[in-house]
């Protein structure tokens, strides 16, 4: 496998990393991530002008990327800065719109912000548990149901809703003004919303959407894995800096062998997480996509929890304070495990796949 990053992706990572470093200092990030609308609309426009969203789509559909490695490049940088902008729902929407052969330009230019409503209260991860119903009335459709923890719903002007109809599971386009959205900030920053649909007018986008929805979930899980790798890198850098500067008994605590061993163990775990994320990126679009993404998300969930807990324990009380960035990285790392399928969910998917293999 070629582990060298291409020149184009290196330029994208450098320009996005510089932008986030300049514009999303931790103080500004925390202010925007925890206060409505839980992101910075002006910075969203700047990100769109930077062309970040175009990295989510292939060239023949108007973008300049669209591969697993392009997605990893973008989300790793977002993770380093704990960026709260709703890029993840745009990736999910892009995959669904690609499957529907729909126009991607409004999404890629940032002019249309999508929220993708899949999960429900009793079916947070499983597509077969979706109960939201779409009914055709004449030439139009109406949708009724509730969608839970819809990422980016607080900032979306268009929703893509997974709903059942007489022919199976479809995807419908709903204007945000035609749904009742209860927005809120998540515990680790960034926004989401509960979406209530009561005979809401909708447009059928994908008739039979099971495969496309699972594909979107796979790409979302890959993006979250890459975001976690970026966040773990920064959390580990904060820890190493602390171990080098904090002194006890007249010398830096990083010189104590017990802490050195723990820090080395964490670095090894992070490299393993990075490796499986690269493997998952290489298998997007192949028959091993879902299985490898689940393997990655499972390992990422376990490693992220370890990094969050160990970095707080080794840095002590300061890592529990609002003012110190480590606490926010720890929250984000813990929460990533619960987005688009937690550790147990993805382990069950891998096991089910192995059992069904002849």
């Amino acid at each position: 496998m070629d582990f060298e990053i291409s020149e184009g992706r290196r330029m994208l990572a450098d320009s996005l990393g510089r932008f986030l470093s300049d514009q999303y200092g931790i103080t500004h990030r925390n202010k925007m991530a925890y206060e409505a609308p839980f992101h910075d609309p002006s910075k969203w426009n700047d990100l769109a002008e930077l062309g970040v969203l175009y990295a989510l789509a292939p060239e023949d559909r108007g973008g300049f990327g669209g591969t697993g490695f392009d997605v990893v490049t973008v989300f790793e940088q977002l993770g380093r800065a704990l960026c709260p902008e709703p890029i993840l729902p745009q990736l999910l929407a892009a995959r669904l719109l690609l499957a529907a052969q729909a126009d991607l330009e409004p999404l890629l230019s940032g002019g249309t912000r999508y929220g993708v409503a899949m999960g429900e209260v009793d079916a947070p991860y499983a597509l077969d548990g979706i109960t939201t119903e779409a009914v055709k009335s004449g030439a139009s459709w109406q949708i009724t149901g509730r969608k839970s923890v819809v990422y980016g719903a607080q900032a979306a002007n268009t929703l893509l809703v997974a709903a059942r109809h007489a022919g199976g599971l479809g995807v419908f386009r709903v204007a945000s003004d035609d749904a009742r959205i209860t927005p809120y900030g998540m515990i680790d920053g960034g926004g989401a919303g509960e979406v209530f649909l009561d005979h809401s007018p909708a447009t059928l986008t994908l008739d039979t959407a099971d495969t496309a929805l699972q594909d979107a979930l796979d790409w979302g899980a890959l993006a979250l894995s890459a975001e976690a790798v970026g966040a773990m890198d920064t959390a580990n850098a904060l820890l190493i800096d602390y171990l080098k500067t904090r002194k006890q008994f007249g010398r830096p605590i990083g010189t104590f062998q017990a802490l050195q061993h723990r820090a080395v163990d964490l670095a090894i775990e992070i490299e393993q997480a990075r490796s499986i994320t690269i493997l998952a990126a290489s298998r997007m679009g192949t028959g091993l996509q879902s299985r490898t993404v689940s393997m990655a998300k499972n390992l990422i969930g376990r490693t992220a929890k370890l990094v969050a807990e160990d970095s707080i324990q080794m840095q002590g009380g300061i890592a529990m304070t609002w003012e110190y960035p480590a606490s926010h990285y720890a929250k984000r790392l813990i929460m990533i495990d619960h987005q688009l399928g937690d550790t147990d969910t993805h382990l069950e998917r891998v096991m089910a796949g192995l059992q069904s293999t002849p």
Side-chain angles (χ1 to χ4, degrees):
M1 185 184 299
D2 183 6
F3 289 98
E4 289 294 325
I5 186 171
S6 69
E7 185 60 24
R9 293 188 191 110
R10 190 185 306 280
M11 291 174 61
L12 174 62
D14 289 345
S15 59
L16 179 56
R18 280 197 302 272
F19 174 82
L20 294 173
S21 178
D22 292 341
Q23 303 294 323
Y24 276 96
I26 191 66
T27 302
H28 178 73
R29 181 267 172 191
N30 289 346
K31 176 177 172 55
M32 305 311 299
Y34 294 103
E35 295 180 4
F38 309 110
H39 78 115
D40 188 334
S42 65
K43 296 292 187 295
W44 168 267
N45 293 331
D46 292 340
L47 277 172
E49 290 180 3
L50 197 63
V52 172
L53 298 174
Y54 287 91
L56 308 182
E59 291 184 14
D60 61 356
R61 298 301 305 279
F64 58 74
T67 70
F69 291 111
D70 295 311
V71 169
V72 165
T73 298
V74 169
F75 279 85
E76 194 170 315
Q77 295 302 321
L78 296 175
R80 293 181 193 280
L82 293 181
C83 180
E85 298 301 326
I87 306 293
L88 178 64
Q90 310 318 308
L91 172 63
L92 301 177
R95 297 305 304 179
L96 295 175
L97 295 174
L98 280 169
Q101 296 292 312
D103 182 15
L104 283 172
E105 181 55 28
L107 182 153
L108 300 180
S109 67
T112 298
R113 291 190 299 271
Y114 285 90
V116 177
M118 294 194 211
E120 300 181 359
V121 174
D122 294 325
Y125 305 136
L127 295 177
D128 56 7
I130 290 175
T131 60
T132 297
E133 185 179 25
V135 176
K136 193 170 187 180
S137 176
S140 61
W141 290 85
Q142 293 182 338
I143 293 184
T144 299
R146 172 183 174 178
K147 294 295 183 180
S148 188
V149 196
V150 179
Y151 304 120
Q154 88 288 354
N157 42 34
T158 300
L159 300 171
L160 293 180
V161 181
R164 296 202 174 278
H165 58 93
L169 187 61
V171 171
F172 296 81
R173 189 189 300 256
V174 178
S176 296
D177 290 341
D178 290 327
R180 182 163 63 88
I181 300 174
T182 302
Y184 49 79
M186 294 184 289
I187 192 170
D188 58 327
E194 298 295 296
V195 175
F196 300 89
L197 303 149
D198 185 9
H199 298 92
S200 300
T203 302
L204 180 63
T205 301
L206 270 174
D207 190 0
T208 305
D210 299 72
T211 302
L213 286 166
Q214 186 56 59
D215 174 75
L217 289 172
D218 288 343
W219 282 82
L222 173 70
L224 289 168
S225 298
E227 183 183 344
V229 170
M232 286 190 282
D233 278 342
T234 304
N236 195 47
L238 288 169
L239 171 62
I240 298 301
D241 183 65
Y242 179 83
L243 295 178
K244 288 180 178 177
T245 55
R246 176 75 167 91
K247 291 185 177 180
Q248 281 188 345
F249 309 113
R251 58 177 176 153
I253 61 174
T255 61
F256 296 121
Q257 194 173 53
L259 292 180
Q260 287 179 351
H261 286 180
R262 290 183 67 177
V264 169
D265 288 344
L266 279 187
I268 293 172
E269 295 289 343
I270 293 171
E271 286 308 307
Q272 288 179 332
R274 190 191 320 280
S275 296
I276 201 167
T277 301
I278 292 172
L279 178 64
S282 73
R283 289 182 173 174
M284 300 308 289
T286 74
L288 294 172
Q289 170 179 306
S290 289
R291 179 189 296 182
T292 313
V293 163
S294 283
M295 291 165 57
K297 189 68 165 52
N298 172 271
L299 181 59
I300 287 290
R302 291 184 283 126
T303 305
K305 182 172 183 287
L306 178 68
V307 171
E309 292 180 346
D310 272 23
S311 62
I312 285 179
Q313 192 174 64
M314 282 192 273
Q315 291 176 85
I318 189 175
M320 299 291 289
T321 63
W322 180 272
E323 293 77 11
Y324 192 56
S327 61
H328 301 280
Y329 281 92
K331 283 195 291 185
R332 183 71 192 121
L333 287 172
I334 293 296
M335 286 301 295
I336 281 178
D337 181 39
H338 299 281
Q339 290 184 267
L340 305 184
D342 60 14
T343 300
D344 291 340
T345 300
H346 283 282
L347 177 61
E348 290 169 0
R349 283 184 62 192
V350 173
M351 295 302 294
L354 292 174
Q355 290 171 355
S356 63
T357 302

Short mmCIF file of all heavy atoms in Angstrom, two decimals, residues 314-349:
data_model
loop_
_atom_site.label_atom_id
_atom_site.label_comp_id
_atom_site.label_asym_id
_atom_site.label_seq_id
_atom_site.Cartn_x
_atom_site.Cartn_y
_atom_site.Cartn_z
N MET A 314 -3.05 11.63 33.35
CA MET A 314 -1.64 12.01 33.47
C MET A 314 -1.47 13.52 33.62
O MET A 314 -0.47 13.97 34.18
CB MET A 314 -0.86 11.50 32.25
CG MET A 314 -0.54 10.02 32.35
SD MET A 314 0.67 9.47 31.11
CE MET A 314 -0.40 9.09 29.75
N GLN A 315 -2.42 14.30 33.11
CA GLN A 315 -2.30 15.75 33.24
C GLN A 315 -2.98 16.27 34.50
O GLN A 315 -2.85 17.45 34.84
CB GLN A 315 -2.87 16.45 32.00
CG GLN A 315 -2.02 16.21 30.77
CD GLN A 315 -2.60 16.80 29.50
OE1 GLN A 315 -2.43 17.96 29.20
NE2 GLN A 315 -3.32 15.98 28.76
N GLY A 316 -3.74 15.42 35.16
CA GLY A 316 -4.33 15.81 36.44
C GLY A 316 -5.48 16.78 36.31
O GLY A 316 -6.14 16.88 35.27
N GLY A 317 -5.71 17.55 37.37
CA GLY A 317 -6.90 18.41 37.46
C GLY A 317 -7.00 19.44 36.37
O GLY A 317 -8.10 19.80 35.95
N ILE A 318 -5.86 19.93 35.86
CA ILE A 318 -5.91 20.97 34.82
C ILE A 318 -6.65 20.47 33.58
O ILE A 318 -7.30 21.26 32.88
CB ILE A 318 -4.48 21.42 34.44
CG1 ILE A 318 -4.55 22.64 33.53
CG2 ILE A 318 -3.69 20.30 33.79
CD1 ILE A 318 -3.19 23.23 33.19
N ALA A 319 -6.57 19.18 33.32
CA ALA A 319 -7.22 18.61 32.13
C ALA A 319 -8.74 18.50 32.29
O ALA A 319 -9.42 18.10 31.34
CB ALA A 319 -6.64 17.24 31.81
N MET A 320 -9.23 18.84 33.47
CA MET A 320 -10.68 18.83 33.69
C MET A 320 -11.28 20.23 33.59
O MET A 320 -12.48 20.40 33.75
CB MET A 320 -11.00 18.24 35.07
CG MET A 320 -10.55 16.80 35.25
SD MET A 320 -11.49 15.64 34.26
CE MET A 320 -13.06 15.68 35.13
N THR A 321 -10.44 21.23 33.35
CA THR A 321 -10.94 22.60 33.35
C THR A 321 -11.41 23.02 31.95
O THR A 321 -10.94 22.50 30.93
CB THR A 321 -9.84 23.58 33.80
OG1 THR A 321 -8.76 23.54 32.86
CG2 THR A 321 -9.30 23.20 35.17
N TRP A 322 -12.33 23.99 31.95
CA TRP A 322 -12.87 24.50 30.68
C TRP A 322 -11.79 25.22 29.88
O TRP A 322 -11.76 25.15 28.65
CB TRP A 322 -14.03 25.46 31.00
CG TRP A 322 -14.67 26.06 29.78
CD1 TRP A 322 -14.30 27.20 29.13
CD2 TRP A 322 -15.77 25.52 29.06
NE1 TRP A 322 -15.11 27.41 28.05
CE2 TRP A 322 -16.03 26.40 27.99
CE3 TRP A 322 -16.57 24.38 29.22
CZ2 TRP A 322 -17.06 26.18 27.08
CZ3 TRP A 322 -17.59 24.17 28.31
CH2 TRP A 322 -17.83 25.05 27.26
N GLU A 323 -10.89 25.92 30.58
CA GLU A 323 -9.92 26.77 29.89
C GLU A 323 -8.82 25.97 29.19
O GLU A 323 -8.18 26.48 28.27
CB GLU A 323 -9.27 27.73 30.90
CG GLU A 323 -10.22 28.78 31.47
CD GLU A 323 -11.15 28.21 32.52
OE1 GLU A 323 -10.91 27.06 32.96
OE2 GLU A 323 -12.12 28.90 32.91
N TYR A 324 -8.57 24.74 29.62
CA TYR A 324 -7.49 23.95 29.05
C TYR A 324 -8.03 23.09 27.91
O TYR A 324 -9.02 22.36 28.09
CB TYR A 324 -6.87 23.07 30.14
CG TYR A 324 -5.56 22.42 29.75
CD1 TYR A 324 -4.48 23.18 29.31
CD2 TYR A 324 -5.40 21.04 29.82
CE1 TYR A 324 -3.27 22.58 28.97
CE2 TYR A 324 -4.21 20.43 29.48
CZ TYR A 324 -3.14 21.20 29.05
OH TYR A 324 -1.96 20.61 28.70
N PRO A 325 -7.43 23.13 26.72
CA PRO A 325 -7.99 22.44 25.54
C PRO A 325 -8.16 20.94 25.73
O PRO A 325 -9.06 20.34 25.10
CB PRO A 325 -6.98 22.74 24.43
CG PRO A 325 -6.29 23.99 24.86
CD PRO A 325 -6.23 23.93 26.35
N ALA A 326 -7.33 20.31 26.56
CA ALA A 326 -7.39 18.84 26.66
C ALA A 326 -8.78 18.34 27.04
O ALA A 326 -9.21 17.27 26.59
CB ALA A 326 -6.36 18.35 27.68
N SER A 327 -9.48 19.11 27.88
CA SER A 327 -10.81 18.66 28.31
C SER A 327 -11.77 18.59 27.13
O SER A 327 -12.61 17.68 27.04
CB SER A 327 -11.36 19.60 29.38
OG SER A 327 -11.50 20.92 28.88
N HIS A 328 -11.66 19.53 26.20
CA HIS A 328 -12.56 19.55 25.03
C HIS A 328 -12.20 18.45 24.03
O HIS A 328 -13.09 17.87 23.41
CB HIS A 328 -12.52 20.93 24.39
CG HIS A 328 -12.94 22.02 25.32
ND1 HIS A 328 -14.27 22.31 25.60
CD2 HIS A 328 -12.21 22.86 26.11
CE1 HIS A 328 -14.33 23.29 26.48
NE2 HIS A 328 -13.10 23.65 26.80
N TYR A 329 -10.92 18.17 23.90
CA TYR A 329 -10.52 17.06 23.04
C TYR A 329 -11.01 15.73 23.63
O TYR A 329 -11.45 14.83 22.90
CB TYR A 329 -9.00 17.03 22.85
CG TYR A 329 -8.52 18.05 21.84
CD1 TYR A 329 -8.15 19.32 22.24
CD2 TYR A 329 -8.49 17.74 20.48
CE1 TYR A 329 -7.74 20.28 21.31
CE2 TYR A 329 -8.09 18.68 19.54
CZ TYR A 329 -7.72 19.95 19.96
OH TYR A 329 -7.34 20.89 19.03
N ALA A 330 -10.92 15.61 24.95
CA ALA A 330 -11.40 14.38 25.58
C ALA A 330 -12.90 14.18 25.34
O ALA A 330 -13.35 13.07 25.02
CB ALA A 330 -11.10 14.42 27.08
N LYS A 331 -13.68 15.26 25.48
CA LYS A 331 -15.13 15.14 25.26
C LYS A 331 -15.43 14.73 23.82
O LYS A 331 -16.27 13.86 23.56
CB LYS A 331 -15.82 16.47 25.58
CG LYS A 331 -15.99 16.74 27.05
CD LYS A 331 -16.98 17.85 27.32
CE LYS A 331 -16.46 19.19 26.90
NZ LYS A 331 -17.38 20.29 27.28
N ARG A 332 -14.74 15.37 22.89
CA ARG A 332 -14.99 15.05 21.47
C ARG A 332 -14.61 13.60 21.17
O ARG A 332 -15.33 12.90 20.45
CB ARG A 332 -14.18 16.00 20.57
CG ARG A 332 -14.44 15.77 19.08
CD ARG A 332 -15.83 16.22 18.68
NE ARG A 332 -16.17 15.75 17.34
CZ ARG A 332 -17.22 14.96 17.08
NH1 ARG A 332 -18.04 14.57 18.05
NH2 ARG A 332 -17.48 14.57 15.85
N LEU A 333 -13.50 13.14 21.73
CA LEU A 333 -13.07 11.76 21.46
C LEU A 333 -14.06 10.75 22.02
O LEU A 333 -14.34 9.71 21.40
CB LEU A 333 -11.67 11.53 22.06
CG LEU A 333 -10.53 12.22 21.30
CD1 LEU A 333 -9.22 12.11 22.07
CD2 LEU A 333 -10.36 11.60 19.91
N ILE A 334 -14.59 11.02 23.19
CA ILE A 334 -15.59 10.11 23.76
C ILE A 334 -16.87 10.11 22.92
O ILE A 334 -17.46 9.06 22.64
CB ILE A 334 -15.91 10.51 25.21
CG1 ILE A 334 -14.69 10.29 26.12
CG2 ILE A 334 -17.11 9.72 25.73
CD1 ILE A 334 -14.26 8.85 26.26
N MET A 335 -17.29 11.28 22.48
CA MET A 335 -18.55 11.38 21.75
C MET A 335 -18.46 10.79 20.35
O MET A 335 -19.46 10.29 19.82
CB MET A 335 -18.99 12.84 21.66
CG MET A 335 -19.53 13.38 22.97
SD MET A 335 -20.97 12.44 23.55
CE MET A 335 -22.15 12.82 22.25
N ILE A 336 -17.29 10.82 19.73
CA ILE A 336 -17.16 10.25 18.38
C ILE A 336 -17.56 8.78 18.38
O ILE A 336 -18.14 8.27 17.42
CB ILE A 336 -15.73 10.45 17.86
CG1 ILE A 336 -15.56 11.88 17.35
CG2 ILE A 336 -15.40 9.45 16.74
CD1 ILE A 336 -14.15 12.21 16.85
N ASP A 337 -17.26 8.09 19.48
CA ASP A 337 -17.62 6.66 19.54
C ASP A 337 -19.13 6.45 19.42
O ASP A 337 -19.58 5.39 18.99
CB ASP A 337 -17.12 6.06 20.86
CG ASP A 337 -17.45 4.57 20.95
OD1 ASP A 337 -17.34 3.89 19.90
OD2 ASP A 337 -17.82 4.09 22.03
N HIS A 338 -19.92 7.44 19.80
CA HIS A 338 -21.37 7.27 19.82
C HIS A 338 -22.05 7.83 18.56
O HIS A 338 -23.28 7.82 18.48
CB HIS A 338 -21.95 7.94 21.07
CG HIS A 338 -21.41 7.34 22.34
ND1 HIS A 338 -21.88 6.15 22.86
CD2 HIS A 338 -20.41 7.74 23.16
CE1 HIS A 338 -21.22 5.85 23.97
NE2 HIS A 338 -20.31 6.80 24.17
N GLN A 339 -21.28 8.28 17.60
CA GLN A 339 -21.87 8.80 16.38
C GLN A 339 -21.81 7.74 15.28
O GLN A 339 -20.76 7.11 15.06
CB GLN A 339 -21.11 10.06 15.92
CG GLN A 339 -21.34 11.27 16.81
CD GLN A 339 -20.64 12.51 16.25
OE1 GLN A 339 -19.52 12.81 16.59
NE2 GLN A 339 -21.34 13.22 15.37
N LEU A 340 -22.93 7.55 14.60
CA LEU A 340 -23.03 6.62 13.46
C LEU A 340 -22.59 5.22 13.83
O LEU A 340 -21.94 4.52 13.04
CB LEU A 340 -22.24 7.15 12.27
CG LEU A 340 -22.57 8.56 11.78
CD1 LEU A 340 -21.77 8.88 10.53
CD2 LEU A 340 -24.05 8.75 11.53
N GLY A 341 -22.92 4.77 15.02
CA GLY A 341 -22.60 3.42 15.45
C GLY A 341 -21.45 3.40 16.43
O GLY A 341 -20.36 3.86 16.11
N ASP A 342 -21.70 2.86 17.64
CA ASP A 342 -20.65 2.84 18.65
C ASP A 342 -19.79 1.58 18.50
O ASP A 342 -19.97 0.77 17.58
CB ASP A 342 -21.24 2.96 20.06
CG ASP A 342 -22.20 1.83 20.38
OD1 ASP A 342 -22.22 0.83 19.64
OD2 ASP A 342 -22.94 1.95 21.37
N THR A 343 -18.86 1.41 19.44
CA THR A 343 -17.92 0.29 19.38
C THR A 343 -18.63 -1.05 19.29
O THR A 343 -18.28 -1.91 18.45
CB THR A 343 -17.02 0.32 20.64
OG1 THR A 343 -16.32 1.57 20.67
CG2 THR A 343 -16.03 -0.82 20.62
N ASP A 344 -19.64 -1.26 20.12
CA ASP A 344 -20.36 -2.54 20.12
C ASP A 344 -21.11 -2.76 18.80
O ASP A 344 -21.15 -3.88 18.27
CB ASP A 344 -21.34 -2.59 21.30
CG ASP A 344 -20.61 -2.66 22.64
OD1 ASP A 344 -19.42 -3.04 22.64
OD2 ASP A 344 -21.22 -2.32 23.66
N THR A 345 -21.74 -1.70 18.31
CA THR A 345 -22.50 -1.83 17.06
C THR A 345 -21.62 -2.28 15.91
O THR A 345 -21.97 -3.18 15.13
CB THR A 345 -23.17 -0.48 16.71
OG1 THR A 345 -24.05 -0.11 17.76
CG2 THR A 345 -23.95 -0.58 15.40
N HIS A 346 -20.45 -1.66 15.79
CA HIS A 346 -19.57 -2.01 14.67
C HIS A 346 -18.91 -3.37 14.88
O HIS A 346 -18.65 -4.08 13.90
CB HIS A 346 -18.53 -0.91 14.47
CG HIS A 346 -19.09 0.30 13.79
ND1 HIS A 346 -19.33 0.36 12.43
CD2 HIS A 346 -19.53 1.48 14.28
CE1 HIS A 346 -19.86 1.52 12.11
NE2 HIS A 346 -19.99 2.24 13.22
N LEU A 347 -18.69 -3.77 16.13
CA LEU A 347 -18.18 -5.13 16.37
C LEU A 347 -19.22 -6.16 15.94
O LEU A 347 -18.89 -7.17 15.29
CB LEU A 347 -17.85 -5.31 17.85
CG LEU A 347 -17.37 -6.71 18.26
CD1 LEU A 347 -16.09 -7.08 17.52
CD2 LEU A 347 -17.15 -6.78 19.78
N GLU A 348 -20.49 -5.89 16.25
CA GLU A 348 -21.56 -6.81 15.84
C GLU A 348 -21.65 -6.89 14.32
O GLU A 348 -21.91 -7.97 13.76
CB GLU A 348 -22.89 -6.33 16.44
CG GLU A 348 -22.98 -6.51 17.95
CD GLU A 348 -24.18 -5.80 18.55
OE1 GLU A 348 -24.93 -5.18 17.77
OE2 GLU A 348 -24.34 -5.86 19.78
N ARG A 349 -21.46 -5.77 13.63
CA ARG A 349 -21.50 -5.79 12.16
C ARG A 349 -20.38 -6.64 11.59
O ARG A 349 -20.58 -7.41 10.65
CB ARG A 349 -21.38 -4.36 11.61
CG ARG A 349 -22.64 -3.53 11.71
CD ARG A 349 -22.44 -2.19 11.04
NE ARG A 349 -22.17 -2.33 9.61
CZ ARG A 349 -21.72 -1.34 8.84
NH1 ARG A 349 -21.52 -0.15 9.35
NH2 ARG A 349 -21.50 -1.54 7.57
#
